[in-house]
Structure formats: structure tokens, C-alpha cells
Amino acid sequence: MSFRSALLSLLLLPCASLAVIAAEPDAVELPAKENFQLFLLVGQSNMAGRGKVAPQDKEANPRVLTLNKQGEWVPAVDPIHFDKSIAGVGLGRTFGLEIAKANPDVTIGLIPCAVGGTPIEHWVPGAYDPPTKTHPYDDMLPRAKKALESGTLCGILWHQGEGDANPTRSKAYEKNLTELVDRLRKELDVPDAPFILGQLGQFEGRPWTESTHAVDKAQRHYAETHDNALFVSSDGLNHKGDNVHFDAASYRELGKRYAKAYLEMPQPKSASK
């Protein structure tokens, strides 16, 4: 072997080593099933998140994981959703960090399944969402069931309603919401799993209509009249400049509010096996 060939071989070795090292952070070791607390994230774009990603959102925590598009558990760094190319900072990652902080003996697993722009009627078996060419409910269910092989579902986080703030859909919102929660709990075998829903954005540039108020009233009423259900306020939160989506700081705050609601409510009587 010539000197040049030998030198070239030596130069190539560190590159290969670096490739292995670079891949290692994504390799995670899962805890025992009882110590792996899972949370399902469902709804539309304000659950998926559209906030601008900052360096702090890319900091991995070994005890906060997410199920990626390929069905693999990886560190939860934003964006964790993949419904659209504009996915960014959402509330899920901060929620996970807060729950992990409060429970140092467990690992948190997030199951992102939100789809931007979807009305609640697209969250039923067989429903198709033309803009995203997806079946939101049917795509979510196998992901959630696959995740349950590794952990225990401890809660369902929902943020949705903008797609139903019209005269027709708003009238059926509470009925559809009740059926959705009952169906999720039954199909995932979590009859007492906490269901936490967040309030729609309250932005001056987009005043609420009668239909928006109707959706808000339905969400509040559901939380008030059903066990293991909580409503999280969006008071004081800001939008990113479009009068529709929260900004990154508001998503992080919303995640903290979801976490506070979860931590302060009585724990479910039973969980998935």
C-alpha cells in the first residue's frame, strides 16, 4: 500500500467513528413498562405546534421521549409532530419535561398524533382528511397501541376546536367530544385515563364568534361534568403573528398548564396493562 493510500485509510477511520458517535444520542434504552408513563397528544395544529424552534427546544432529556414518525422512541426535541412541514414548538415537550421533573423515578413517552386543520368529525374511525391525505383516527390508533407495548398510558392531551367554530359543527361539538373520549378510552383500555383539553386561543386580532363561544362552552361543560377531565385556560397567551397559532413562549406556558392540571388531579383508578 502506498503512503497516500495508507494516509487516506487513516483519514477515513475517524469519519466512520464520528458517524457512530453521532447516531448514539438517538439510541434510547427504555425503562420497565411500569416506569414508562405515556401520554397521547391529539387534536389539530395548536396541539401539533407551530412555534419557532429555539436552541432550548433542541435540548434532549433522557427521561422525555417521543414516538417518531417511524414508530421509534427517540429523545423529545421539537418539533415532535410531523403532520405538516411547518410543525414547530408545541406544548407536548414542555408538558413531558414538567411531568418528568415532578416524578424523578419515571420516564415520559409522548405519542404525537395531532393533525393540523382537522375538525373533530375527522377524529372518528374511517374518516379521511383531504388536505393532509391522512386518516387522523385510524393513523393514531395503531401508533398508540404500538406504544402501549412499551409503557402505560397515563393521560390523553387534546387541543382542537378551531375547525369546529362554525354554526353547524359547533352545535354538535360536545356530543362528538364525548363520543371521542369514550371511544379512545375503550379502544386503548384506559377507562379512567385523564383527559385534558386546552382552551382555544384568545387573540384580539381574531375576535370570537358565537360559534367559537359555543365550542368553548362545550369544552368547559364536558370537563365540569365528566370524571377525570380537565379544562386548561389560554388566558394571557399570545399568537405568533397569524391570530391563529400560539407563539413558542405561549406553547411552553400552555404545556406547563397542562402539566399542572394533570399533577393536581386525582390519579386514575386503573391504567392500561
Short mmCIF file of all heavy atoms in Angstrom, two decimals, residues 148-212:
data_model
loop_
_atom_site.label_atom_id
_atom_site.label_comp_id
_atom_site.label_asym_id
_atom_site.label_seq_id
_atom_site.Cartn_x
_atom_site.Cartn_y
_atom_site.Cartn_z
N LEU A 148 -48.13 1.32 23.55
CA LEU A 148 -48.57 0.68 24.79
C LEU A 148 -47.87 -0.66 25.05
O LEU A 148 -47.93 -1.18 26.16
CB LEU A 148 -50.08 0.47 24.77
CG LEU A 148 -50.91 1.75 24.94
CD1 LEU A 148 -52.39 1.46 24.77
CD2 LEU A 148 -50.65 2.36 26.30
N GLU A 149 -47.20 -1.18 24.04
CA GLU A 149 -46.42 -2.41 24.26
C GLU A 149 -45.22 -2.13 25.16
O GLU A 149 -44.70 -3.04 25.81
CB GLU A 149 -45.94 -2.98 22.93
CG GLU A 149 -47.06 -3.44 22.01
CD GLU A 149 -46.55 -3.89 20.65
OE1 GLU A 149 -45.31 -3.95 20.47
OE2 GLU A 149 -47.38 -4.20 19.77
N SER A 150 -44.81 -0.86 25.21
CA SER A 150 -43.61 -0.49 25.98
C SER A 150 -43.90 0.24 27.28
O SER A 150 -43.03 0.32 28.15
CB SER A 150 -42.69 0.39 25.11
OG SER A 150 -42.34 -0.25 23.92
N GLY A 151 -45.10 0.80 27.40
CA GLY A 151 -45.38 1.62 28.58
C GLY A 151 -46.84 1.61 28.97
O GLY A 151 -47.64 0.81 28.46
N THR A 152 -47.20 2.53 29.86
CA THR A 152 -48.55 2.63 30.40
C THR A 152 -49.15 3.98 30.04
O THR A 152 -48.55 5.02 30.33
CB THR A 152 -48.52 2.48 31.94
OG1 THR A 152 -47.94 1.21 32.28
CG2 THR A 152 -49.92 2.56 32.52
N LEU A 153 -50.31 3.97 29.42
CA LEU A 153 -50.95 5.23 29.04
C LEU A 153 -51.53 5.90 30.28
O LEU A 153 -52.41 5.36 30.95
CB LEU A 153 -52.05 4.99 28.01
CG LEU A 153 -52.64 6.26 27.39
CD1 LEU A 153 -51.57 7.03 26.63
CD2 LEU A 153 -53.80 5.91 26.45
N CYS A 154 -51.04 7.09 30.57
CA CYS A 154 -51.43 7.80 31.79
C CYS A 154 -52.28 9.03 31.53
O CYS A 154 -52.76 9.66 32.48
CB CYS A 154 -50.19 8.21 32.58
SG CYS A 154 -49.26 6.80 33.23
N GLY A 155 -52.47 9.40 30.27
CA GLY A 155 -53.29 10.56 30.01
C GLY A 155 -53.43 10.85 28.52
O GLY A 155 -52.61 10.40 27.71
N ILE A 156 -54.49 11.58 28.18
CA ILE A 156 -54.75 11.99 26.81
C ILE A 156 -54.83 13.52 26.79
O ILE A 156 -55.61 14.12 27.54
CB ILE A 156 -56.07 11.39 26.29
CG1 ILE A 156 -56.04 9.86 26.36
CG2 ILE A 156 -56.35 11.86 24.86
CD1 ILE A 156 -57.38 9.20 26.13
N LEU A 157 -54.02 14.14 25.95
CA LEU A 157 -53.99 15.60 25.84
C LEU A 157 -54.64 16.00 24.51
O LEU A 157 -54.26 15.51 23.45
CB LEU A 157 -52.55 16.11 25.88
CG LEU A 157 -51.89 16.28 27.26
CD1 LEU A 157 -51.92 15.00 28.07
CD2 LEU A 157 -50.45 16.74 27.09
N TRP A 158 -55.60 16.93 24.60
CA TRP A 158 -56.37 17.31 23.43
C TRP A 158 -56.37 18.83 23.28
O TRP A 158 -56.62 19.55 24.24
CB TRP A 158 -57.80 16.80 23.61
CG TRP A 158 -58.82 17.22 22.59
CD1 TRP A 158 -59.79 18.18 22.72
CD2 TRP A 158 -59.05 16.63 21.29
NE1 TRP A 158 -60.58 18.24 21.60
CE2 TRP A 158 -60.14 17.30 20.70
CE3 TRP A 158 -58.40 15.62 20.57
CZ2 TRP A 158 -60.62 16.99 19.42
CZ3 TRP A 158 -58.88 15.31 19.30
CH2 TRP A 158 -59.97 15.98 18.74
N HIS A 159 -56.06 19.31 22.09
CA HIS A 159 -56.26 20.73 21.79
C HIS A 159 -56.79 20.81 20.38
O HIS A 159 -56.11 20.49 19.41
CB HIS A 159 -54.97 21.54 21.91
CG HIS A 159 -55.25 23.03 22.05
ND1 HIS A 159 -55.74 23.78 21.00
CD2 HIS A 159 -55.16 23.87 23.11
CE1 HIS A 159 -55.92 25.03 21.41
NE2 HIS A 159 -55.59 25.11 22.68
N GLN A 160 -58.04 21.26 20.29
CA GLN A 160 -58.73 21.27 19.00
C GLN A 160 -60.01 22.08 19.17
O GLN A 160 -60.49 22.25 20.28
CB GLN A 160 -59.04 19.82 18.58
CG GLN A 160 -59.58 19.61 17.18
CD GLN A 160 -61.09 19.79 17.09
OE1 GLN A 160 -61.79 19.77 18.09
NE2 GLN A 160 -61.58 19.99 15.88
N GLY A 161 -60.56 22.54 18.08
CA GLY A 161 -61.82 23.26 18.15
C GLY A 161 -61.95 24.39 17.14
O GLY A 161 -63.05 24.78 16.78
N GLU A 162 -60.80 24.90 16.69
CA GLU A 162 -60.85 25.95 15.68
C GLU A 162 -61.60 25.46 14.43
O GLU A 162 -62.34 26.22 13.80
CB GLU A 162 -59.45 26.41 15.29
CG GLU A 162 -58.67 27.11 16.40
CD GLU A 162 -57.81 26.14 17.23
OE1 GLU A 162 -58.04 24.91 17.10
OE2 GLU A 162 -56.96 26.62 17.97
N GLY A 163 -61.40 24.19 14.10
CA GLY A 163 -62.03 23.62 12.91
C GLY A 163 -63.52 23.38 13.08
O GLY A 163 -64.20 23.00 12.11
N ASP A 164 -64.05 23.61 14.28
CA ASP A 164 -65.48 23.39 14.53
C ASP A 164 -66.20 24.67 14.92
O ASP A 164 -67.38 24.64 15.25
CB ASP A 164 -65.65 22.34 15.63
CG ASP A 164 -65.26 20.95 15.17
OD1 ASP A 164 -64.07 20.63 15.19
OD2 ASP A 164 -66.16 20.20 14.75
N ALA A 165 -65.48 25.79 14.86
CA ALA A 165 -66.09 27.07 15.25
C ALA A 165 -66.88 27.67 14.10
O ALA A 165 -66.58 28.74 13.58
CB ALA A 165 -65.00 28.03 15.72
N ASN A 166 -67.90 26.94 13.68
CA ASN A 166 -68.84 27.45 12.69
C ASN A 166 -70.25 27.05 13.12
O ASN A 166 -70.42 26.18 13.98
CB ASN A 166 -68.50 26.94 11.28
CG ASN A 166 -68.68 25.45 11.11
OD1 ASN A 166 -69.74 24.90 11.37
ND2 ASN A 166 -67.63 24.76 10.66
N PRO A 167 -71.27 27.68 12.58
CA PRO A 167 -72.64 27.46 13.06
C PRO A 167 -73.10 26.01 13.06
O PRO A 167 -73.88 25.60 13.92
CB PRO A 167 -73.48 28.32 12.11
CG PRO A 167 -72.56 29.42 11.69
CD PRO A 167 -71.22 28.76 11.55
N THR A 168 -72.66 25.24 12.09
CA THR A 168 -73.12 23.86 12.01
C THR A 168 -72.37 22.93 12.95
O THR A 168 -72.96 22.23 13.78
CB THR A 168 -72.98 23.34 10.56
OG1 THR A 168 -73.74 24.17 9.68
CG2 THR A 168 -73.48 21.90 10.45
N ARG A 169 -71.05 22.91 12.85
CA ARG A 169 -70.25 21.98 13.64
C ARG A 169 -70.27 22.27 15.13
O ARG A 169 -70.22 21.36 15.96
CB ARG A 169 -68.81 21.97 13.14
CG ARG A 169 -68.63 21.29 11.79
CD ARG A 169 -67.22 21.47 11.26
NE ARG A 169 -66.99 20.73 10.03
CZ ARG A 169 -65.98 20.95 9.21
NH1 ARG A 169 -65.09 21.90 9.50
NH2 ARG A 169 -65.83 20.23 8.11
N SER A 170 -70.35 23.54 15.49
CA SER A 170 -70.29 23.89 16.92
C SER A 170 -71.46 23.31 17.70
O SER A 170 -71.32 22.99 18.89
CB SER A 170 -70.25 25.41 17.08
OG SER A 170 -71.41 26.02 16.55
N LYS A 171 -72.60 23.16 17.05
CA LYS A 171 -73.78 22.63 17.74
C LYS A 171 -73.60 21.17 18.15
O LYS A 171 -74.19 20.72 19.14
CB LYS A 171 -75.01 22.76 16.84
CG LYS A 171 -75.42 24.20 16.57
CD LYS A 171 -76.60 24.26 15.60
CE LYS A 171 -76.98 25.72 15.31
NZ LYS A 171 -78.10 25.80 14.33
N ALA A 172 -72.82 20.44 17.40
CA ALA A 172 -72.62 19.02 17.70
C ALA A 172 -71.31 18.75 18.43
O ALA A 172 -70.95 17.59 18.67
CB ALA A 172 -72.64 18.22 16.39
N TYR A 173 -70.61 19.81 18.83
CA TYR A 173 -69.25 19.62 19.35
C TYR A 173 -69.21 18.78 20.62
O TYR A 173 -68.42 17.83 20.73
CB TYR A 173 -68.56 20.97 19.60
CG TYR A 173 -67.08 20.79 19.86
CD1 TYR A 173 -66.18 20.67 18.81
CD2 TYR A 173 -66.58 20.68 21.15
CE1 TYR A 173 -64.83 20.47 19.03
CE2 TYR A 173 -65.23 20.47 21.39
CZ TYR A 173 -64.36 20.37 20.32
OH TYR A 173 -63.02 20.16 20.55
N GLU A 174 -70.02 19.10 21.61
CA GLU A 174 -69.93 18.35 22.86
C GLU A 174 -70.31 16.88 22.67
O GLU A 174 -69.70 15.99 23.27
CB GLU A 174 -70.81 18.98 23.94
CG GLU A 174 -70.59 18.33 25.30
CD GLU A 174 -71.19 19.12 26.45
OE1 GLU A 174 -71.77 20.20 26.22
OE2 GLU A 174 -71.06 18.65 27.61
N LYS A 175 -71.30 16.62 21.85
CA LYS A 175 -71.68 15.23 21.55
C LYS A 175 -70.51 14.50 20.91
O LYS A 175 -70.17 13.37 21.31
CB LYS A 175 -72.89 15.21 20.62
CG LYS A 175 -73.29 13.82 20.13
CD LYS A 175 -74.50 13.92 19.22
CE LYS A 175 -74.90 12.56 18.67
NZ LYS A 175 -73.87 12.01 17.74
N ASN A 176 -69.88 15.13 19.93
CA ASN A 176 -68.75 14.49 19.25
C ASN A 176 -67.56 14.31 20.18
O ASN A 176 -66.85 13.30 20.12
CB ASN A 176 -68.33 15.33 18.03
CG ASN A 176 -69.35 15.27 16.91
OD1 ASN A 176 -70.10 14.30 16.78
ND2 ASN A 176 -69.39 16.31 16.09
N LEU A 177 -67.33 15.29 21.06
CA LEU A 177 -66.23 15.19 22.01
C LEU A 177 -66.46 14.05 22.98
O LEU A 177 -65.54 13.26 23.27
CB LEU A 177 -66.08 16.51 22.77
CG LEU A 177 -64.96 16.58 23.80
CD1 LEU A 177 -63.59 16.47 23.13
CD2 LEU A 177 -65.04 17.88 24.61
N THR A 178 -67.66 13.93 23.50
CA THR A 178 -68.00 12.86 24.44
C THR A 178 -67.78 11.49 23.80
O THR A 178 -67.19 10.59 24.41
CB THR A 178 -69.46 12.99 24.90
OG1 THR A 178 -69.65 14.27 25.50
CG2 THR A 178 -69.81 11.90 25.91
N GLU A 179 -68.24 11.35 22.56
CA GLU A 179 -68.07 10.07 21.86
C GLU A 179 -66.61 9.77 21.60
O GLU A 179 -66.18 8.61 21.70
CB GLU A 179 -68.86 10.11 20.55
CG GLU A 179 -70.37 10.14 20.76
CD GLU A 179 -71.14 10.29 19.44
OE1 GLU A 179 -70.49 10.50 18.39
OE2 GLU A 179 -72.38 10.19 19.48
N LEU A 180 -65.83 10.80 21.27
CA LEU A 180 -64.40 10.60 21.02
C LEU A 180 -63.68 10.11 22.26
O LEU A 180 -62.92 9.14 22.20
CB LEU A 180 -63.77 11.91 20.54
CG LEU A 180 -62.23 11.92 20.46
CD1 LEU A 180 -61.74 10.97 19.37
CD2 LEU A 180 -61.70 13.32 20.20
N VAL A 181 -63.90 10.76 23.38
CA VAL A 181 -63.22 10.37 24.61
C VAL A 181 -63.62 8.96 25.02
O VAL A 181 -62.76 8.14 25.40
CB VAL A 181 -63.51 11.37 25.75
CG1 VAL A 181 -62.79 10.94 27.02
CG2 VAL A 181 -63.09 12.78 25.36
N ASP A 182 -64.91 8.66 24.95
CA ASP A 182 -65.38 7.31 25.31
C ASP A 182 -64.73 6.27 24.41
O ASP A 182 -64.31 5.20 24.87
CB ASP A 182 -66.90 7.23 25.19
CG ASP A 182 -67.63 8.02 26.26
OD1 ASP A 182 -66.97 8.42 27.25
OD2 ASP A 182 -68.85 8.22 26.12
N ARG A 183 -64.63 6.58 23.12
CA ARG A 183 -64.06 5.63 22.17
C ARG A 183 -62.56 5.43 22.43
O ARG A 183 -62.06 4.29 22.43
CB ARG A 183 -64.27 6.13 20.73
CG ARG A 183 -63.83 5.14 19.66
CD ARG A 183 -63.95 5.73 18.25
NE ARG A 183 -65.28 6.26 18.00
CZ ARG A 183 -65.57 7.56 17.85
NH1 ARG A 183 -64.60 8.46 17.92
NH2 ARG A 183 -66.79 7.94 17.63
N LEU A 184 -61.84 6.51 22.67
CA LEU A 184 -60.41 6.41 22.94
C LEU A 184 -60.14 5.57 24.19
O LEU A 184 -59.28 4.68 24.19
CB LEU A 184 -59.81 7.80 23.12
CG LEU A 184 -59.56 8.63 21.86
CD1 LEU A 184 -59.17 10.06 22.24
CD2 LEU A 184 -58.46 8.00 21.02
N ARG A 185 -60.86 5.86 25.25
CA ARG A 185 -60.65 5.12 26.49
C ARG A 185 -60.98 3.64 26.33
O ARG A 185 -60.27 2.78 26.88
CB ARG A 185 -61.49 5.74 27.61
CG ARG A 185 -60.95 7.07 28.12
CD ARG A 185 -61.88 7.71 29.11
NE ARG A 185 -61.27 8.86 29.78
CZ ARG A 185 -61.95 9.77 30.45
NH1 ARG A 185 -63.28 9.68 30.53
NH2 ARG A 185 -61.33 10.78 31.04
N LYS A 186 -62.02 3.36 25.57
CA LYS A 186 -62.42 1.96 25.36
C LYS A 186 -61.40 1.22 24.49
O LYS A 186 -60.95 0.12 24.84
CB LYS A 186 -63.80 1.89 24.73
CG LYS A 186 -64.29 0.47 24.48
CD LYS A 186 -65.69 0.46 23.88
CE LYS A 186 -66.17 -0.97 23.64
NZ LYS A 186 -67.54 -1.00 23.03
N GLU A 187 -61.03 1.81 23.36
CA GLU A 187 -60.15 1.12 22.42
C GLU A 187 -58.73 0.99 22.94
O GLU A 187 -58.01 0.06 22.58
CB GLU A 187 -60.14 1.84 21.07
CG GLU A 187 -61.50 1.81 20.37
CD GLU A 187 -61.38 1.82 18.86
OE1 GLU A 187 -60.81 0.86 18.32
OE2 GLU A 187 -61.86 2.78 18.25
N LEU A 188 -58.31 1.89 23.83
CA LEU A 188 -56.97 1.82 24.40
C LEU A 188 -56.97 1.19 25.78
O LEU A 188 -55.94 1.10 26.43
CB LEU A 188 -56.36 3.23 24.44
CG LEU A 188 -56.16 3.88 23.07
CD1 LEU A 188 -55.65 5.31 23.24
CD2 LEU A 188 -55.20 3.07 22.21
N ASP A 189 -58.15 0.76 26.23
CA ASP A 189 -58.31 0.06 27.51
C ASP A 189 -57.80 0.90 28.68
O ASP A 189 -57.07 0.44 29.54
CB ASP A 189 -57.59 -1.29 27.47
CG ASP A 189 -57.97 -2.18 28.66
OD1 ASP A 189 -59.04 -1.96 29.25
OD2 ASP A 189 -57.17 -3.07 29.01
N VAL A 190 -58.21 2.17 28.70
CA VAL A 190 -57.84 3.09 29.79
C VAL A 190 -59.10 3.83 30.25
O VAL A 190 -59.26 5.03 30.02
CB VAL A 190 -56.75 4.09 29.37
CG1 VAL A 190 -55.39 3.42 29.31
CG2 VAL A 190 -57.08 4.73 28.01
N PRO A 191 -60.02 3.13 30.90
CA PRO A 191 -61.32 3.72 31.23
C PRO A 191 -61.26 4.95 32.12
O PRO A 191 -62.18 5.77 32.09
CB PRO A 191 -62.06 2.57 31.93
CG PRO A 191 -60.97 1.66 32.41
CD PRO A 191 -59.91 1.74 31.37
N ASP A 192 -60.20 5.10 32.90
CA ASP A 192 -60.11 6.23 33.81
C ASP A 192 -58.98 7.19 33.46
O ASP A 192 -58.60 8.03 34.27
CB ASP A 192 -59.91 5.73 35.25
CG ASP A 192 -61.06 4.84 35.71
OD1 ASP A 192 -62.20 5.33 35.72
OD2 ASP A 192 -60.82 3.66 36.03
N ALA A 193 -58.42 7.06 32.27
CA ALA A 193 -57.30 7.93 31.89
C ALA A 193 -57.72 9.39 31.90
O ALA A 193 -58.76 9.76 31.35
CB ALA A 193 -56.79 7.55 30.51
N PRO A 194 -56.93 10.25 32.51
CA PRO A 194 -57.24 11.69 32.49
C PRO A 194 -57.30 12.22 31.06
O PRO A 194 -56.48 11.86 30.21
CB PRO A 194 -56.06 12.31 33.25
CG PRO A 194 -55.57 11.22 34.14
CD PRO A 194 -55.74 9.97 33.34
N PHE A 195 -58.28 13.07 30.82
CA PHE A 195 -58.42 13.72 29.52
C PHE A 195 -58.33 15.22 29.77
O PHE A 195 -59.14 15.80 30.49
CB PHE A 195 -59.77 13.37 28.89
CG PHE A 195 -59.97 13.98 27.52
CD1 PHE A 195 -59.43 13.37 26.40
CD2 PHE A 195 -60.70 15.15 27.37
CE1 PHE A 195 -59.61 13.93 25.13
CE2 PHE A 195 -60.88 15.71 26.12
CZ PHE A 195 -60.34 15.10 24.99
N ILE A 196 -57.30 15.84 29.19
CA ILE A 196 -57.06 17.27 29.42
C ILE A 196 -57.21 18.02 28.11
O ILE A 196 -56.54 17.71 27.13
CB ILE A 196 -55.66 17.50 30.02
CG1 ILE A 196 -55.46 16.63 31.28
CG2 ILE A 196 -55.47 18.97 30.37
CD1 ILE A 196 -54.08 16.69 31.86
N LEU A 197 -58.10 19.01 28.10
CA LEU A 197 -58.30 19.78 26.89
C LEU A 197 -57.99 21.25 27.13
O LEU A 197 -58.27 21.79 28.21
CB LEU A 197 -59.71 19.61 26.34
CG LEU A 197 -60.92 20.01 27.17
CD1 LEU A 197 -62.13 20.18 26.26
CD2 LEU A 197 -61.26 18.93 28.20
N GLY A 198 -57.38 21.88 26.13
CA GLY A 198 -56.97 23.26 26.26
C GLY A 198 -57.89 24.22 25.54
O GLY A 198 -58.47 23.89 24.49
N GLN A 199 -58.03 25.39 26.10
CA GLN A 199 -58.89 26.42 25.53
C GLN A 199 -58.33 26.98 24.23
O GLN A 199 -57.11 27.09 24.05
CB GLN A 199 -59.06 27.54 26.55
CG GLN A 199 -60.07 28.61 26.17
CD GLN A 199 -60.24 29.65 27.27
OE1 GLN A 199 -59.30 29.93 28.02
NE2 GLN A 199 -61.42 30.23 27.37
N LEU A 200 -59.20 27.35 23.34
CA LEU A 200 -58.80 27.98 22.09
C LEU A 200 -58.10 29.31 22.37
O LEU A 200 -58.32 29.93 23.41
CB LEU A 200 -60.01 28.21 21.19
CG LEU A 200 -60.84 26.98 20.81
CD1 LEU A 200 -61.99 27.39 19.90
CD2 LEU A 200 -59.98 25.92 20.14
N GLY A 201 -57.28 29.73 21.43
CA GLY A 201 -56.56 30.99 21.60
C GLY A 201 -57.51 32.18 21.67
O GLY A 201 -58.51 32.23 20.95
N GLN A 202 -57.18 33.12 22.56
CA GLN A 202 -57.99 34.33 22.71
C GLN A 202 -57.17 35.52 22.20
O GLN A 202 -56.40 36.11 22.94
CB GLN A 202 -58.34 34.54 24.18
CG GLN A 202 -59.05 33.33 24.81
CD GLN A 202 -59.24 33.50 26.30
OE1 GLN A 202 -59.97 34.38 26.76
NE2 GLN A 202 -58.56 32.66 27.07
N PHE A 203 -57.32 35.82 20.92
CA PHE A 203 -56.48 36.81 20.28
C PHE A 203 -57.31 38.00 19.80
O PHE A 203 -58.33 37.83 19.14
CB PHE A 203 -55.73 36.19 19.11
CG PHE A 203 -54.99 34.92 19.46
CD1 PHE A 203 -55.09 33.78 18.66
CD2 PHE A 203 -54.19 34.86 20.59
CE1 PHE A 203 -54.41 32.62 18.98
CE2 PHE A 203 -53.49 33.69 20.92
CZ PHE A 203 -53.61 32.57 20.12
N GLU A 204 -56.86 39.21 20.13
CA GLU A 204 -57.59 40.42 19.77
C GLU A 204 -57.82 40.56 18.28
O GLU A 204 -58.85 41.05 17.82
CB GLU A 204 -56.84 41.66 20.29
CG GLU A 204 -56.85 41.80 21.81
CD GLU A 204 -56.20 43.10 22.25
OE1 GLU A 204 -55.86 43.93 21.37
OE2 GLU A 204 -56.02 43.28 23.46
N GLY A 205 -56.85 40.11 17.51
CA GLY A 205 -56.96 40.24 16.06
C GLY A 205 -57.95 39.28 15.43
O GLY A 205 -58.24 39.38 14.22
N ARG A 206 -58.44 38.34 16.23
CA ARG A 206 -59.42 37.39 15.72
C ARG A 206 -60.51 37.20 16.78
O ARG A 206 -60.51 36.21 17.50
CB ARG A 206 -58.77 36.05 15.38
CG ARG A 206 -59.69 35.10 14.61
CD ARG A 206 -58.98 33.79 14.26
NE ARG A 206 -59.78 32.97 13.41
CZ ARG A 206 -59.41 31.77 12.92
NH1 ARG A 206 -58.22 31.30 13.22
NH2 ARG A 206 -60.21 31.08 12.14
N PRO A 207 -61.43 38.14 16.88
CA PRO A 207 -62.48 38.08 17.91
C PRO A 207 -63.30 36.80 17.80
O PRO A 207 -63.56 36.31 16.70
CB PRO A 207 -63.34 39.32 17.61
CG PRO A 207 -62.44 40.24 16.84
CD PRO A 207 -61.56 39.34 16.04
N TRP A 208 -63.69 36.29 18.94
CA TRP A 208 -64.51 35.08 18.95
C TRP A 208 -65.89 35.36 18.38
O TRP A 208 -66.50 36.40 18.65
CB TRP A 208 -64.64 34.55 20.38
CG TRP A 208 -63.45 33.77 20.84
CD1 TRP A 208 -62.22 33.71 20.27
CD2 TRP A 208 -63.40 32.93 22.00
NE1 TRP A 208 -61.39 32.89 20.99
CE2 TRP A 208 -62.09 32.38 22.05
CE3 TRP A 208 -64.32 32.59 22.98
CZ2 TRP A 208 -61.68 31.53 23.07
CZ3 TRP A 208 -63.92 31.72 23.99
CH2 TRP A 208 -62.60 31.19 24.03
N THR A 209 -66.39 34.40 17.64
CA THR A 209 -67.75 34.47 17.11
C THR A 209 -68.68 33.71 18.05
O THR A 209 -68.24 33.09 19.04
CB THR A 209 -67.82 33.83 15.72
OG1 THR A 209 -67.52 32.42 15.85
CG2 THR A 209 -66.81 34.47 14.77
N GLU A 210 -69.94 33.75 17.74
CA GLU A 210 -70.91 32.98 18.53
C GLU A 210 -70.56 31.50 18.50
O GLU A 210 -70.70 30.79 19.50
CB GLU A 210 -72.30 33.21 17.96
CG GLU A 210 -73.42 32.52 18.75
CD GLU A 210 -74.79 32.81 18.19
OE1 GLU A 210 -74.94 33.81 17.45
OE2 GLU A 210 -75.73 32.04 18.48
N SER A 211 -70.06 31.03 17.37
CA SER A 211 -69.68 29.61 17.23
C SER A 211 -68.45 29.27 18.07
O SER A 211 -68.36 28.18 18.65
CB SER A 211 -69.41 29.28 15.77
OG SER A 211 -70.58 29.45 14.98
N THR A 212 -67.48 30.19 18.13
CA THR A 212 -66.29 29.96 18.97
C THR A 212 -66.70 29.86 20.43
O THR A 212 -66.22 28.98 21.16
CB THR A 212 -65.28 31.11 18.81
OG1 THR A 212 -65.11 31.42 17.43
CG2 THR A 212 -63.94 30.72 19.41
#
